[in-house]
Amino acid sequence: MKHILFTLALASVAGMANAQQNGHSYTVEGLINDSTLNGQTLYISRYDDGMKVDSTQVANGQFKFTGKADTPYFCRIDAGREYANFILEGGNIKVNVLTHNDPKGTPMNEEYSRMHDKTSEMVATLKSKHSEIEQQTKDKAEQLRLKKEYSQTYWHAAYTQLYKELFMNNPDNALGEYAIRSLIMSASPEEMEPIFATAGPWLKSLQTYKRIEKQCQAMKATAIGQKFTDFSGKAVDGSEVSLSDYVGKGTYTLVDFWASWCGPCRAESPHVAQLYNEYKDKGLTVLGVAVWDKPEHTKKAIKELNINWPQIIDTGMTPMDLYGVNGIPFIILFGPDGTIIARDLRGEAMIKKVTEVLNIK
């Protein structure tokens, strides 16, 4: 019964969303705690293309936008270090830049807030399970294995189903845009296929949709069992270098996508260093690939982290795009012939996997 009511609610929202397509007037208002922002200009920006669609000034700790929404879009307001996500549609919308994701006042925004609340509950459950696992065993590798098993078996499945239902009832509006952005964080390329097949013409016209579709294609092309996809960049000394200079040369190759500004990447560096130091003369090549980073920042981080294995730097976003990567660090293990053996390796689990593959006791 709960499932039926949930589905009917989503369908109702979808119907109301279509009714908003005719250019209804809107107001978007909220409060600002930072007094230094009084007199400053705020903008509504679309997530899809970054376009600023409206502006207003902060006065006495308040802001109010007014205009007309011909087509609802998933949008954002930045206010200093704070922000608010919402769907710009006809009606009176209230946002909170301190809580970020609980817009109120219109059908699509009420549904967006409800979905975010459910997601927050799921995240809290996930954190609780992680704490339970940490109490269950002190072995770091076993902790990571159990956490990954729980996430893949239960959490990701529930998360994916939640947003799949949202999308299927909103395949061509801003809620669908929000849903597909959420789905790509958990769904496999195979699970995304019915999403792509159901998407309507407006959604397919978005840059967001095209980027996600391309990302899934890249994930399929670089899945476990596929051969590596080559790309080029520069070595630390400025010379031209390619992935193929290291991968497919007869040794196992561990490739770490990272950036100087990425805290988790820095935290992962000691694990990569451990593998490099232990196995560099036993059939393992280690390679760093700096992505989405300025060369001067990368070089500085290399010195700070005492990295002494080869690097390809100044690659922009190309490696991430080619391998369908959502976030970093992202570490891939390639076989001697360049076949992808494992993706998204981290920490103790990575060390265990590499050790097993190299058959080193």
Side-chain angles (χ1 to χ4, degrees):
M1 176 63 74
K2 289 183 178 179
H3 177 78
I4 294 173
L5 292 175
F6 176 67
T7 302
L8 289 173
L10 288 179
S12 175
V13 170
M16 289 184 285
N18 290 331
Q20 295 288 340
Q21 301 287 326
N22 299 318
H24 292 178
S25 297
Y26 67 78
T27 62
V28 182
E29 56 186 320
L31 303 176
I32 297 288
N33 286 342
D34 186 352
S35 61
T36 65
L37 293 178
N38 283 323
Q40 298 294 311
T41 300
L42 302 184
Y43 298 93
I44 294 176
S45 299
R46 295 199 306 220
Y47 262 106
D48 180 55
D49 54 10
M51 179 179 290
K52 295 177 179 178
V53 297
D54 202 354
S55 64
T56 193
Q57 285 192 325
V58 180
N60 299 319
Q62 303 178 61
F63 62 86
K64 184 175 183 179
F65 297 86
T66 60
K68 181 170 287 190
D70 295 324
T71 301
Y73 273 91
F74 187 35
C75 292
R76 174 186 178 110
I77 297 170
D78 286 289
R81 295 183 177 182
E82 304 297 342
Y83 67 92
N85 292 326
F86 67 103
I87 293 173
L88 184 62
E89 64 173 329
N92 299 317
I93 304 167
K94 293 186 180 297
V95 299
N96 190 324
V97 298
L98 296 179
T99 54
H100 311 312
N101 289 290
D102 61 345
K104 304 293 183 184
T106 61
M108 297 180 80
N109 280 295
E110 293 288 347
E111 179 63 4
Y112 173 86
S113 294
R114 193 186 69 81
M115 290 294 292
H116 184 266
D117 288 345
K118 288 184 71 68
T119 304
S120 296
E121 292 174 6
M122 292 176 66
V123 170
T125 300
L126 179 65
K127 289 180 178 179
S128 176
K129 184 63 178 180
H130 282 188
S131 297
E132 180 183 320
I133 289 171
E134 289 167 4
Q135 293 297 318
Q136 178 180 334
T137 176
K138 298 303 179 184
D139 184 289
K140 296 295 184 182
E142 182 65 5
Q143 286 180 3
L144 286 172
R145 186 191 71 79
L146 290 172
K147 288 177 180 179
K148 188 172 185 179
E149 181 182 82
Y150 175 80
S151 294
Q152 292 177 341
T153 306
Y154 300 103
W155 196 87
H156 282 293
Y159 179 93
T160 299
Q161 183 61 29
L162 179 67
Y163 281 94
K164 183 178 179 181
E165 289 190 8
L166 177 66
F167 181 87
M168 288 302 183
N169 286 284
N170 297 274
D172 204 30
N173 62 39
L175 279 172
E177 178 189 355
Y178 163 59
I180 198 172
R181 290 172 65 95
S182 301
L183 279 167
I184 192 58
M185 302 303 293
S186 66
S188 67
E190 292 72 25
E191 289 172 322
M192 291 297 291
E193 288 179 0
I195 300 299
F196 296 137
T198 307
W202 175 81
L203 190 64
K204 286 184 175 181
S205 73
L206 299 184
Q207 293 181 23
T208 297
Y209 178 92
K210 295 173 182 177
R211 173 182 57 78
I212 290 173
E213 187 176 42
K214 186 176 180 181
Q215 180 180 344
C216 283
Q217 292 170 351
M219 291 171 70
K220 286 183 179 180
T222 59
I224 292 173
Q226 299 295 323
K227 288 293 182 68
F228 76 96
T229 299
D230 203 12
F231 57 83
S232 300
K234 293 182 179 179
V236 175
D237 64 6
S239 60
E240 296 293 325
V241 66
S242 298
L243 182 66
S244 55
D245 293 327
Y246 298 92
V247 174
K249 298 297 184 180
T251 64
Y252 290 93
T253 309
L254 191 70
V255 179
D256 176 19
F257 292 2
W258 71 289
S260 65
W261 47 263
C262 169
C265 297
R266 288 175 173 263
E268 197 63 48
S269 185
H271 296 114
V272 178
Q274 179 180 336
L275 289 170
Y276 173 73
N277 291 329
E278 290 186 15
Y279 304 134
K280 63 181 178 180
D281 298 322
K282 300 176 182 178
L284 180 69
T285 297
V286 176
L287 174 69
V289 176
V291 297
W292 203 9
D293 207 0
K294 294 182 179 180
E296 59 271 26
H297 295 166
T298 302
K299 292 177 182 179
K300 181 181 178 183
I302 289 171
K303 291 181 179 179
E304 292 172 347
L305 297 170
N306 296 314
I307 293 174
N308 52 8
W309 50 93
Q311 299 287 317
I312 301 179
I313 69 173
D314 199 16
T315 63
M317 291 290 289
T318 299
M320 296 182 69
D321 291 340
L322 288 174
Y323 284 81
V325 175
N326 269 322
I328 52 176
F330 196 89
I331 304 175
I332 305 173
L333 179 64
F334 296 91
D337 64 349
T339 298
I340 296 172
I341 295 176
R343 288 172 52 113
D344 199 14
L345 294 168
R346 296 284 291 273
E348 296 294 334
M350 173 179 66
I351 293 171
K352 182 178 180 181
K353 178 65 175 180
V354 172
T355 301
E356 288 176 350
V357 168
L358 291 173
N359 197 27
I360 297 172
K361 304 298 183 182

